[in-house]
Amino acid sequence: MNLYLDLLWSFFQIGLFSVGGGYAAIPLIQSQVVEQHGWLTMTQFADIITIAEMTPGPVAINSATFVGMQILGIPGAIVATLGCILPACVIVTTIAYFYFKYRNVSVVQGILAGLRPAVVALIASAGLSILMLAVFGGASTGVWDFPLESIDWIAVVLFIAAFILLRRTKLNPLYIMGGAGILGMAAYPLLNKIM
């Protein structure tokens, strides 16, 4: 029962403090699930975030469902998901009331403008953590001492190719993700045979 309460409270905090949407919640989920409670390793966390991004729905809720399922099965998935959405339901209902009442006040517009840089920083932090895990394969100790011999060159090439395709073409990101996955499935076994 204590683990259920821990799971509920952890995802309640994530839902409460993840200002800016699902991607802004990724570092908060990592902090709770990997660093504070040790429920998942960083590799398992990266896998869950990848699956959560590929499935329909908000990333934070999908992540909560997958983490809860990994830890306590279906009851855990339900508890984690409820914990994640409960603060949003209460906050959004309250904010909607006040926003419609005071939306033309300049202080409200200033607050919303001030939150944008914080959201961008949270998303960049999460993206950088996952990029470092993909490129260095977890070899880093987290103190910016990434050894060059541990670089996963296939991941680097796939990242650069995907980044260029996203910036230069109007391809759907899902096609690029799918293509990178297929190329990775082909390249890694081939590399293992050569080595």
Side-chain angles (χ1 to χ4, degrees):
M1 187 64 181
N2 193 25
L3 191 55
Y4 286 103
L5 291 174
D6 286 345
L7 192 61
L8 180 71
W9 177 241
S10 292
F11 279 97
F12 183 86
Q13 292 176 47
I14 290 163
L16 187 62
F17 296 114
S18 59
V19 177
Y23 294 108
I26 293 174
L28 300 174
I29 298 170
Q30 176 184 341
S31 172
Q32 287 286 332
V33 172
V34 177
E35 296 162 13
Q36 287 186 18
H37 295 287
W39 289 327
L40 300 176
T41 66
M42 188 59 190
T43 304
Q44 291 172 316
F45 173 74
D47 291 342
I48 283 179
I49 293 299
T50 303
I51 293 168
E53 288 178 352
M54 293 173 57
T55 52
V59 173
I61 294 173
N62 289 347
S63 299
T65 306
F66 292 133
V67 168
M69 186 73 170
Q70 185 79 17
I71 297 169
L72 293 168
I74 292 175
I78 293 169
V79 167
T81 304
L82 285 175
C84 191
I85 64 171
L86 184 62
C89 291
V90 173
I91 291 170
V92 167
T93 304
T94 306
I95 289 176
Y97 170 76
F98 286 111
Y99 177 74
F100 285 114
K101 190 171 182 180
Y102 301 109
R103 66 179 158 206
N104 295 325
V105 177
S106 62
V107 173
V108 173
Q109 296 302 319
I111 290 170
L112 293 174
L115 287 175
R116 287 186 196 113
V119 170
V120 170
L122 285 171
I123 293 170
S125 169
L128 188 60
S129 294
I130 291 174
L131 176 65
M132 292 298 107
L133 179 67
V135 170
F136 294 100
S140 168
T141 59
V143 199
W144 294 97
D145 61 340
F146 305 108
L148 292 177
E149 63 272 5
S150 70
I151 292 176
D152 184 343
W153 290 105
I154 294 174
V156 171
V157 169
L158 288 174
F159 171 75
I160 292 170
F163 184 78
I164 290 170
L165 282 172
L166 279 170
R167 301 301 299 164
R168 304 254 171 144
T169 68
K170 296 199 184 282
L171 281 174
N172 187 326
L174 292 176
Y175 296 143
I176 295 173
M177 285 172 34
I182 291 168
L183 287 173
M185 284 175 26
Y188 283 105
L190 184 63
L191 183 69
N192 287 336
K193 284 183 183 177
I194 293 172
M195 312 268 310

